[in-house]
Amino acid sequence: MKQLLLITILSLLMAEGFAQNKAMPVIDKMMEAIDGVSSFSCTVVKKERTKGKLTEGKSMAKVTYDPYRIYIYSHFPNEGAEVLWKEGWNKNQALVNPNSFPFINLSLSPYYGLLRNQSHHPIFRLGFWYVGMIIKKCVKIADDDFDKYFTHAGYEQWDGRKCHVLEINYPEFTYLDYEVKKGESVISIATKNIVCEEMIVQANKKVHGYLDVREGDVIKVPNMYARKAVFYIDAQTHLPVYQQIYDEKGIFQEYQFFDLKVNLNFTDEDFSKHNKKYGF
């Protein structure tokens, strides 16, 4: 009887360990899938907390990585607004058709200013490669304590597709003092530390924009991208089609990818301001 009880306990412990460790093969397949994306189109629905409120947006996007080109059509909040960016073109500025006043095309920086208004990320992070970088950093920090931070939380149906639910919890999430070095901006600091620059702005009352720091300033920078993250990873494509990011206050970001199609044969016309279907 004691032997049977011991076997039962060991079986339960092994089953629990297997459930926890199941996160790693899912992550491995996701990383492989992300590396295999050369182009994609999708509709992105986002929620981002800015100034204490969740702002919403919806847009259609086309992206190729070689050459690097991006086209975005906004459905909400600015219906009909368009963005076109191509590496090395237009002095690396994005061409923007605001479809509103002043009713002319504008060349804007993709990193800050009007194009980044109430947006947590520059357009270059659209897609999945940046999520891959975030998770790689988490895996590296977790090291031998992987099961402490990563959980395969079962499966969910999302947009008609079976998805793995991957959860990352980092209870050590906090803000650390950082002394700004010569030539650094909020963007470069966030990029170096793989955190969101908007989170830095919101954590520092004296920082009002992505360029609003100077050498010698001491600012608060998060030690991890999120306090908690939830990813729905498509069981067929292995891509993170639903992403939810939390900080110490609650939901900070949420991204949903609908109608996702990868490795498409786009033409130059898809990324031309002279495309008759576009409004430039």
Side-chain angles (χ1 to χ4, degrees):
M1 183 69 180
K2 288 183 178 180
Q3 186 177 5
L4 180 60
L5 179 61
L6 181 60
I7 292 173
T8 302
I9 292 172
L10 287 172
S11 298
L12 289 172
L13 289 172
M14 289 175 66
E16 182 181 357
F18 177 79
Q20 291 174 337
N21 291 331
K22 194 175 180 180
M24 183 53 83
V26 171
I27 291 172
D28 288 340
K29 288 184 178 179
M30 183 187 69
M31 294 301 183
E32 183 179 355
I34 290 173
D35 288 342
V37 175
S38 61
S39 64
F40 68 90
S41 68
C42 66
T43 296
V44 183
V45 177
K46 71 174 184 178
K47 293 180 181 178
E48 297 176 330
R49 193 176 73 237
T50 304
K51 297 181 180 179
K53 296 182 179 180
L54 282 176
T55 59
E56 299 184 20
K58 180 180 179 181
S59 58
M60 184 279 293
K62 300 176 182 178
V63 178
T64 66
Y65 291 117
D66 188 16
Y68 205 172
R69 302 174 295 185
I70 300 168
Y71 169 78
I72 299 172
Y73 179 94
S74 174
H75 292 283
F76 179 81
N78 300 316
E79 178 71 32
E82 297 172 291
V83 178
L84 179 65
W85 180 88
K86 295 184 282 187
E87 189 171 23
W89 173 78
N90 196 32
K91 298 181 180 179
N92 273 326
Q93 301 284 294
L95 184 67
V96 179
N97 163 29
N99 197 33
S100 61
F101 183 83
F103 297 102
I104 58 172
N105 293 335
L106 305 171
S107 290
L108 301 175
S109 169
Y111 294 102
Y112 46 83
L114 291 175
L115 194 55
R116 286 293 301 276
N117 185 32
Q118 294 189 341
S119 180
H120 285 188
H121 296 286
I123 57 176
F124 308 116
R125 293 184 192 153
L126 181 63
F128 307 104
W129 68 269
Y130 191 69
V131 172
M133 287 183 60
I134 294 169
I135 294 179
K136 283 181 181 178
K137 178 182 177 180
C138 294
V139 170
K140 183 177 180 180
I141 290 176
D143 199 17
D144 292 337
D145 292 327
F146 180 85
D147 291 343
K148 175 184 175 182
Y149 302 105
F150 290 82
T151 304
H152 185 284
Y155 299 89
E156 289 286 349
Q157 287 291 125
W158 185 85
D159 193 29
R161 306 183 73 86
K162 181 181 179 181
C163 295
H164 299 275
V165 180
L166 175 68
E167 291 188 6
I168 307 174
N169 285 280
Y170 192 72
E172 296 90 346
F173 178 88
T174 189
Y175 295 86
L176 303 175
D177 286 341
Y178 180 91
E179 184 174 342
V180 179
K181 299 174 180 59
K182 184 178 180 179
E184 287 189 320
S185 66
V186 173
I187 294 173
S188 64
I189 293 168
T191 300
K192 180 172 66 176
N193 291 280
I194 313 180
V195 296
C196 183
E197 48 262 45
E198 183 62 27
M199 199 175 284
I200 295 175
V201 170
Q202 293 187 27
N204 294 274
K205 293 182 179 180
K206 294 182 178 180
V207 178
H208 302 291
Y210 302 134
L211 301 178
D212 191 24
V213 291
R214 290 175 294 219
E215 181 182 2
D217 287 351
V218 177
I219 61 174
K220 296 292 185 180
V221 175
N223 62 341
M224 182 60 75
Y225 192 87
R227 167 66 178 77
K228 175 184 176 182
V230 179
F231 300 100
Y232 283 19
I233 301 171
D234 190 312
Q236 288 187 327
T237 66
H238 306 294
L239 293 171
V241 291
Y242 176 88
Q243 308 164 15
Q244 198 171 58
I245 304 296
Y246 295 78
D247 63 4
E248 78 284 0
K249 297 178 182 178
I251 294 179
F252 182 67
Q253 301 168 342
E254 181 182 89
Y255 304 103
Q256 302 178 65
F257 295 82
F258 297 94
D259 304 319
L260 176 64
K261 300 175 183 177
V262 300
N263 299 336
L264 301 172
N265 293 319
F266 288 123
T267 67
D268 290 342
E269 189 73 7
D270 287 295
F271 300 96
S272 171
K273 67 178 182 179
H274 301 297
N275 189 318
K276 295 181 179 179
K277 295 181 181 179
Y278 302 162
F280 296 106

